Amino acid sequence: PLPHQRPRPPLWVGGFAPAAARRAARLGDGYIGTADMVEQARLFRAAWAESGRAGPPRLAGGHFWLIVSREPRKTFRAVVPHVRYQ
């Protein structure tokens, strides 16, 4: 089936590096990042403005963590190193 959204579904580009924010402004309809987004958001907005894109830049980000577990304490111990790294 054809997409319901017109002209197509929105394309959100994500990433952590400064290049990802610029790429999202150039190729995507929005940018999604994680953790502290202050600098990434600034880069994305600046690249969006420079590109002459129509409409306001769309951003999503912050600290995203949803971990479902039947054994929360065991799962917490397992994921802590990964969350800290992130």
Side-chain angles (χ1 to χ4, degrees):
L2 295 173
H4 178 72
Q5 296 98 334
R6 299 287 181 227
R8 58 173 169 64
L11 174 65
W12 286 73
V13 178
F16 308 105
R22 291 189 292 270
R23 183 173 36 256
R26 189 176 71 251
L27 302 173
D29 299 311
Y31 174 65
I32 186 167
T34 61
D36 183 4
M37 290 281 297
V38 174
E39 183 60 17
Q40 292 295 88
R42 186 191 68 72
L43 290 170
F44 174 70
R45 287 184 181 114
W48 186 274
E50 290 171 11
S51 72
R53 305 280 307 268
R58 296 191 286 182
L59 284 158
H63 297 276
F64 295 111
W65 294 105
L66 171 63
I67 300 168
V68 178
S69 173
R70 292 185 189 271
E71 300 178 55
R73 290 178 192 272
K74 181 179 177 183
T75 303
F76 181 79
R77 286 191 301 273
V79 302
V80 160
H82 305 287
V83 173
R84 283 186 177 154
Y85 174 80
Q86 185 64 43

